[in-house]
Amino acid sequence: MNQKTFDIALEHDGIAYQGWVTPSEEARINGTPRSYHVVLNETLFGNLSKSGDQWTVDEQRPAGLVNKVGLLIQSRIK
């Protein structure tokens, strides 16, 4: 894992998730990463990106879980 990678942990619908997030090297105009590669419970969760206030993922995942992961990422990058 590279130096930008950080660990995350959360619970959703009674399931505990642990994993890590790796920001993409590709940046937006404001300097923030364009997307975030997320692994939860040793399984690829997907690549999350944010548009406005909406977090999306390139895999089919529960919307509530995507939002929770997105909020965790957002809290770490501020």
Side-chain angles (χ1 to χ4, degrees):
M1 289 189 266
N2 70 33
Q3 294 176 344
K4 297 178 185 178
T5 297
F6 56 90
D7 294 332
I8 59 171
L10 68 142
E11 186 173 318
H12 181 73
D13 286 343
I15 300 171
Y17 294 93
Q18 292 186 14
W20 61 88
V21 175
T22 305
S24 70
E25 304 226 352
E26 196 175 327
R28 298 177 185 271
I29 293 172
N30 66 5
T32 60
R34 186 167 297 279
S35 63
Y36 301 85
H37 181 83
V38 179
V39 175
L40 292 177
N41 294 352
E42 299 184 19
T43 301
L44 174 64
F45 184 73
N47 294 297
L48 269 73
S49 59
K50 186 176 181 188
S51 178
D53 288 336
Q54 182 73 32
W55 284 94
T56 59
V57 67
D58 61 355
E59 299 285 335
Q60 187 171 352
R61 304 290 184 221
L65 183 56
V66 171
N67 189 52
K68 280 187 176 182
V69 172
L71 291 174
L72 275 173
I73 292 170
Q74 190 170 332
S75 72
R76 294 290 302 265
I77 61 172
K78 284 190 173 183

